[in-house]
C-alpha cells in the first residue's frame, strides 16, 4: 500500500464568496447599535457565532447567510425586511430566515403564545432551516449558562419568560430538534440544555427522582 493511499480524503469546503460578505455588512448595518440582553455586547457577535456554528456543522453559503440574517426580520423591519432579504440574497435564504422568525410585526403576540406557535413551525421546517435555528438556540443557551454561572439567579430578569418560561422553551426546542434529523448541533444543544438545567438545580433533581423510583421498583421485583 502506497503512502498516497494512506492520506485522508480531502474535504471540499463550501464556496464562500462576495454574497456572504454582503450579508455580513447588511447584518452589521441593520443591527447597528443593538446589544445582547442587558449587556454591552454588540448583537453582531451573536450573529457571527451562529454563522460559525452553521459552517462548522457543514452548512453551505446560503445557510451561513441565513445565520447572519436570522434576526433581521424580527428585530429590524418585519415583512418588508423579509422581502428585501429575498430580493438581495435569494429565496432559499429568505425561506430559512422566515423559518427562524417568531414575530413579523409590532406589537408582538404574547410571549407564551408566540413561543408555542414557533415550536409548531419548527416541527414542519426543512432540515437546513432547523440547523440554522438550532445553531441560534445553541449559542443562546451557552450564553445563558455562562451568565448564570457568573451572575446567578439575577439573569432571569432579562427574559420575558423569566426562569420557568426560558427553561421550558429551550427544553421543548431541544426535544423537537432531536426528534427529527438529529445532527451535531442538535446534540450539542441537548448537552447545553442539560447543563443549564443541572446548573439551576431543577431538572436534574426530577430526573434523579425518576431514576430512584425505577431502581426501587426493580429492587422490589415489580
Amino acid at each position: 500500500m502506497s503512502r498516497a493511499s494512506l492520506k485522508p480524503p480531502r474535504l471540499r469546503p463550501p464556496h464562500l464568496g462576495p454574497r456572504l460578505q454582503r450579508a455580513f455588512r447588511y447584518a452589521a448595518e441593520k443591527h447597528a447599535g443593538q446589544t445582547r440582553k442587558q449587556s454591552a455586547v454588540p448583537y453582531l457577535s451573536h450573529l457571527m457565532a451562529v454563522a460559525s456554528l452553521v459552517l462548522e456543522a457543514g452548512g453551505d453559503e446560503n445557510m451561513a447567510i441565513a445565520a447572519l440574517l436570522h434576526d433581521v426580520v424580527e428585530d429590524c423591519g418585519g415583512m418588508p425586511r423579509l422581502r428585501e432579504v429575498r430580493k438581495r440574497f435569494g429565496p432559499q435564504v429568505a425561506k430559512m430566515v422566515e423559518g427562524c422568525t417568531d414575530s413579523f410585526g409590532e406589537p408582538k403576540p404574547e410571549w407564551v403564545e408566540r413561543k408555542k406557535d414557533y415550536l409548531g413551525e419548527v416541527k414542519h421546517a426543512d432540515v437546513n432551516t432547523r440547523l440554522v435555528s438550532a445553531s441560534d438556540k445553541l449559542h443562546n443557551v451557552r450564553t445563558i449558562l455562562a451568565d448564570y454561572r457568573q451572575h446567578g439567579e439575577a439573569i432571569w430578569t432579562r427574559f420575558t419568560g423569566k426562569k420557568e418560561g426560558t427553561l421550558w422553551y429551550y427544553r421543548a426546542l431541544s426535544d423537537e430538534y432531536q426528534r427529527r434529523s438529529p445532527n451535531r448541533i442538535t446534540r450539542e444543544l441537548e448537552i447545553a440544555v442539560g447543563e443549564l438545567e443541572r446548573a439551576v438545580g431543577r431538572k436534574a433533581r426530577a430526573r434523579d427522582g425518576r431514576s430512584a423510583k425505577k431502581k426501587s421498583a426493580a429492587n422490589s421485583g415489580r
Side-chain angles (χ1 to χ4, degrees):
M1 185 178 291
S2 67
R3 288 190 175 183
S5 64
L6 295 175
K7 291 181 179 179
R10 296 183 65 182
L11 299 177
R12 178 176 296 178
H15 174 72
L16 303 177
R19 289 177 67 243
L20 185 61
Q21 297 175 25
R22 291 200 305 272
F24 179 84
R25 291 193 294 269
Y26 184 83
E29 174 189 339
K30 300 307 176 187
H31 290 279
Q34 295 181 5
T35 59
R36 296 285 273 166
K37 290 182 182 293
Q38 296 183 16
S39 77
V41 178
Y43 199 80
L44 186 63
S45 68
H46 169 62
L47 308 177
M48 294 166 64
V50 176
S52 177
L53 287 170
V54 167
L55 289 172
E56 289 172 6
D60 61 16
E61 183 178 56
N62 278 334
M63 295 169 71
I65 291 172
L68 286 171
L69 305 182
H70 76 269
D71 274 334
V72 76
V73 172
E74 184 173 328
D75 295 340
C76 307
M79 291 304 296
R81 188 68 63 209
L82 181 62
R83 290 192 289 271
E84 186 174 78
V85 168
R86 183 177 293 108
K87 181 178 179 180
R88 291 194 178 205
F89 302 102
Q92 292 184 43
V93 170
K95 181 180 179 181
M96 286 183 277
V97 171
E98 183 176 9
C100 292
T101 302
D102 71 10
S103 178
F104 294 87
E106 295 292 344
K108 294 181 179 180
E110 191 268 334
W111 187 86
V112 173
E113 175 188 349
R114 181 158 44 100
K115 298 309 181 186
K116 286 182 177 179
D117 287 346
Y118 185 70
L119 282 164
E121 293 295 326
V122 168
K123 289 181 179 181
H124 305 292
D126 62 78
V127 172
N128 290 352
T129 300
R130 285 167 68 94
L131 178 62
V132 175
S133 177
S135 297
D136 167 35
K137 302 308 183 283
L138 174 57
H139 186 250
N140 283 343
V141 173
R142 285 176 170 174
T143 301
I144 293 169
L145 180 59
D147 287 347
Y148 183 82
R149 286 170 172 163
Q150 183 175 2
H151 301 294
E153 294 292 320
I155 70 164
W156 303 117
T157 60
R158 306 174 188 174
F159 300 95
T160 304
K162 300 298 187 278
K163 178 179 179 178
E164 297 299 322
T166 302
L167 292 174
W168 159 77
Y169 183 53
Y170 285 111
R171 167 50 61 191
L173 280 168
S174 179
D175 289 347
E176 171 54 35
Y177 293 132
Q178 285 290 88
R179 182 185 65 82
R180 178 163 63 88
S181 304
N183 53 56
R184 165 179 172 163
I185 295 298
T186 62
R187 288 189 288 271
E188 287 297 316
L189 178 60
E190 172 72 18
I191 292 170
V193 170
E195 288 180 352
L196 179 60
E197 290 170 340
R198 286 189 291 275
V200 303
R202 285 183 64 255
K203 285 282 188 176
R205 286 198 296 271
R207 288 174 178 171
D208 289 345
R210 286 195 294 269
S211 297
K213 288 180 181 179
K214 288 180 180 179
K215 289 179 180 178
S216 176
N219 291 336
S220 66
R222 285 185 288 171

